Amino acid sequence: MLTTRTTRCKLCLEPDRVGALRRPGALSRNPPWLNLDGEKNTCGDAQKMAGFPGLFPASVPPALLLWVSMWGSPASGFSVMGPAQPIKVPLGTDATLPCQLSPEQSAAHMQIRWYRAQLSPAVLLYQNGQEQDGEQMLEYRGRTELVEDSIGRGAVALLIQHVRASDNGQYWCHFNDGHISQEAVVELHVIGLGSAPHVRMMGPEDNGIQVLCSSGGWFPKPRVQWSDTAGEKLLSLSESQSQDGDGLFHVEASLVVKDSSLGNVTCSIQNPVSGQEKASAIFLPEPFFPRTSPWKTALAGTLPVLVLLLIGISYTGWRQHKAKNREAEKRKEASQERDKVAKEKEEAHSAKSKSGSKSNQRFLEKLQILCVQDWKKALIYPDWRKEQFEHVLVSVNHENVHQNNSDFTKEPQAVLCNRQRGGNLLKLDQKGFTKGRHYWEVDLEDTDEWTLGIYDEPTEKSDLEKMKFNVLEKKGCEYRALTCSCQSISQEESLLIEKCPQKIVIFLDYEDSNISFYNMIDGTHIFSFNQANISGSVYPYFKLKSMEFSPSA
């Protein structure tokens, strides 16, 4: 690629006047005040020419002096031309970089300088009819020569012998004739073709075979491409490139082949400048590919499921263990209370049998008063608690229950009231419970699903969704205590009951806001709502189903 560079002095004139003075091929490049170390002339330097005696009259304006120094004589104007395309040469051969004056004229009397990044030191300097070694770059000494066969027609060429990788790049051809200088740039591309790729198998890798391709002696940096027998490109796993002391590239690229049916894979290395490439192929036998065991595949699929299942079982076991511990604590407390009351009864009975004296009678009365005061703390003996509560006749007709799940009463004191959502709310003849202590019993036998407890009836029929329930629920072999409404659950506790209750008694203490459930068969305590926040009218509740909630629950 050819570009022409001309260094112009910055004129001390207006832009339109500068444009009027320009003429192709006749610009001054290096007047006497230009330093060869690369320091460019300035307008101030041009104006200094006015101070040299005998050179120009003192009356000549500085701007006119600048015009004369730039243009010189119109007959001596010239330009420099080079090849339009880069010069491409193989590594180690000789390169010839041509340069031509236009119009044709002799350049034998001119200074001809070939340089790269800066004017000095130069690649080659021709002056006074011969080459000058004083300013030549060390790496070009003994390797360069000016071809001057046609110097009389203004045609010269730079010959570089045994081209190296470091010779790659741009060269400037600079002509200087007195006060006039012109130059052109010539591009040199050095092409280094490396060795044929060496392809080898490295071993199994990621359920496939790893293949490595390596080659050296390339310039500039080459491109590496893997392909299969069908010509389809394959993506490299990794690629690395390095340069040796001569500036030549060594490249390595790896590939993992997982498809055993490919057979051959080819590694191609291409020079990006010349387009030349070298390729090598390797055959991959199918037995060399690692085989995946079926049990490993099955294990990889089932192991996550087993881990999740183990976590779920551990969590469930932990919850059950925690519930058993709570139930054991409750039973221990109940046993201690039973032992204490039994001991007190035994002492009272012994005292009564041994003596009928008034003192013993007073002791028994005092003991009875003490027991009456402590009945609230003791979670035992439901028969004993019944003495402190008023019995309410509410019973279940099992025959009708299994047939129609809508008739639960056969006592005249209880009246059935059907509500929304399939609930069976038992209403008494009176206006619900608003005070006092009451209890009623329910025969359940072996029913698989039921809900039993109390509910607060809202004052308005439109507020049925706000009904509050305190119930004990059974669903299969699972039991739980719920404080809820038709839309949400405010309290939930799972219960561990080993033996299914056949008959349950419910104790309601309105003033203490307490609802307790007992198994009437063995007399054990099941559960108590101690702070039930009872208000308004309270009614018994029973249903042969578990609780059902609206979608918003």
Side-chain angles (χ1 to χ4, degrees), residues 209-437:
I209 298 178
Q210 184 178 10
V211 186
L212 182 67
C213 174
S214 60
S215 178
W218 292 86
F219 190 86
K221 184 168 63 176
R223 290 192 289 260
V224 182
Q225 181 62 60
W226 292 93
S227 60
D228 57 15
T229 54
E232 295 292 334
K233 295 182 180 180
L234 304 176
L235 185 63
S236 298
L237 174 65
S238 64
E239 184 175 327
S240 63
Q241 295 177 339
S242 60
Q243 281 184 280
D244 58 17
D246 295 329
L248 303 182
F249 286 88
H250 178 82
V251 62
E252 283 190 355
S254 63
L255 172 71
V256 175
V257 181
K258 299 182 180 180
D259 187 359
S260 59
S261 64
L262 286 180
N264 289 357
V265 292
T266 302
C267 175
S268 303
I269 303 181
Q270 184 184 56
N271 188 294
V273 176
S274 65
Q276 298 170 291
E277 68 175 24
K278 294 185 178 182
S280 297
I282 187 172
F283 176 68
L284 304 177
E286 186 173 354
F288 282 24
F289 286 83
R291 300 181 181 274
T292 304
S293 301
W295 67 268
K296 289 185 178 180
T297 304
L299 181 61
T302 57
L303 186 60
V305 179
L306 293 176
V307 171
L308 293 176
L309 183 61
L310 181 61
I311 293 174
I313 293 175
S314 301
Y315 177 72
T316 304
W318 174 78
R319 289 195 62 181
Q320 291 179 351
H321 178 70
K322 193 173 181 180
K324 287 183 179 180
N325 288 341
R326 289 198 302 265
E327 189 65 24
E329 290 292 332
K330 291 182 180 179
R331 289 180 180 177
K332 183 178 179 180
E333 293 177 359
S335 177
Q336 292 176 352
E337 290 291 337
R338 282 198 299 268
D339 292 344
K340 179 180 177 181
V341 174
K343 184 177 180 180
E344 292 175 351
K345 282 188 175 182
E346 184 179 353
E347 290 176 356
H349 180 71
S350 175
K352 184 176 180 180
S353 60
K354 289 181 180 180
S355 174
S357 62
K358 292 183 179 180
S359 59
N360 290 336
Q361 185 67 27
R362 285 196 298 270
F363 172 75
L364 293 176
E365 292 176 354
K366 183 177 179 181
L367 181 60
Q368 184 177 8
I369 293 172
L370 180 62
C371 292
V372 170
Q373 293 175 348
D374 291 342
W375 69 268
K376 293 183 180 181
K377 300 179 181 179
L379 299 176
I380 57 175
Y381 299 134
D383 291 335
W384 186 28
R385 291 176 67 95
K386 288 180 181 180
E387 298 178 1
Q388 311 298 326
F389 287 78
E390 178 184 356
H391 183 217
V392 179
L393 294 177
V394 177
S395 61
V396 179
N397 187 338
H398 293 286
E399 180 178 359
N400 291 335
V401 165
H402 292 291
Q403 293 176 358
N404 188 5
N405 194 20
S406 62
D407 185 6
F408 296 93
T409 65
K410 64 180 181 180
E411 296 292 338
Q413 287 84 354
V415 180
L416 176 65
C417 178
N418 292 325
R419 294 292 186 184
Q420 294 181 357
R421 307 189 185 281
N424 300 293
L425 314 180
L426 301 179
K427 264 195 167 183
L428 302 175
D429 288 341
Q430 58 184 351
K431 295 182 178 179
F433 302 120
T434 57
K435 63 180 179 178
R437 303 188 188 103

Side-chain angles (χ1 to χ4, degrees), residues 143-176:
R143 292 198 306 123
T144 60
E145 179 183 342
L146 184 68
V147 181
E148 49 182 319
D149 297 343
S150 302
I151 195 171
R153 294 186 291 106
V156 296
L158 173 66
L159 175 65
I160 304 177
Q161 300 174 347
H162 307 295
V163 170
R164 307 170 183 173
S166 58
D167 296 335
N168 187 79
Q170 291 182 339
Y171 291 80
W172 292 90
C173 172
H174 182 93
F175 286 81
N176 185 16

Side-chain angles (χ1 to χ4, degrees), residues 2 4 23-27 74-82 99-107 110 150-156 173 175 177 180-184:
L2 170 66
T4 301
R23 181 169 62 88
L27 294 178
S76 62
F78 61 88
S79 62
V80 183
M81 297 184 300
C99 199
Q100 173 69 53
L101 290 179
S102 178
E104 290 187 3
Q105 54 184 289
S106 175
M110 297 184 183
S150 302
I151 195 171
R153 294 186 291 106
V156 296
C173 172
F175 286 81
D177 184 12
I180 303 174
S181 63
Q182 292 289 335
E183 61 185 11

Side-chain angles (χ1 to χ4, degrees), residues 439-545:
Y439 77 91
W440 60 95
E441 300 176 358
V442 180
D443 292 319
L444 299 170
E445 296 183 354
D446 294 325
T447 308
D448 289 334
E449 190 173 350
W450 47 259
T451 305
L452 179 65
I454 68 167
Y455 74 96
D456 299 344
E457 184 179 48
T459 56
E460 300 292 338
K461 293 184 178 181
S462 59
D463 295 337
L464 292 179
E465 298 290 342
K466 299 181 180 179
M467 284 195 301
K468 179 183 175 184
F469 297 83
N470 290 280
V471 295
L472 187 68
E473 178 192 76
K474 177 190 178 187
K475 188 173 184 180
C477 295
E478 297 181 357
Y479 297 83
R480 61 176 180 170
L482 299 173
T483 298
C484 59
S485 66
C486 293
Q487 293 181 335
S488 62
I489 300 175
S490 57
Q491 178 183 349
E492 177 183 2
E493 184 172 349
S494 298
L495 305 178
L496 182 61
I497 301 177
E498 297 180 354
K499 188 175 181 181
C500 179
Q502 302 291 314
K503 186 176 183 179
I504 293 180
V505 60
I506 300 96
F507 291 95
L508 170 64
D509 190 338
Y510 193 96
E511 282 73 13
D512 287 348
S513 294
N514 180 274
I515 306 108
S516 299
F517 300 83
Y518 284 82
N519 187 342
M520 285 301 297
I521 303 301
D522 56 9
T524 57
H525 172 256
I526 299 175
F527 186 78
S528 292
F529 293 97
N530 293 319
Q531 298 294 330
N533 295 326
I534 301 173
S535 63
S537 297
V538 180
Y539 298 91
Y541 177 79
F542 180 77
K543 183 173 69 168
L544 284 178
K545 288 184 179 179

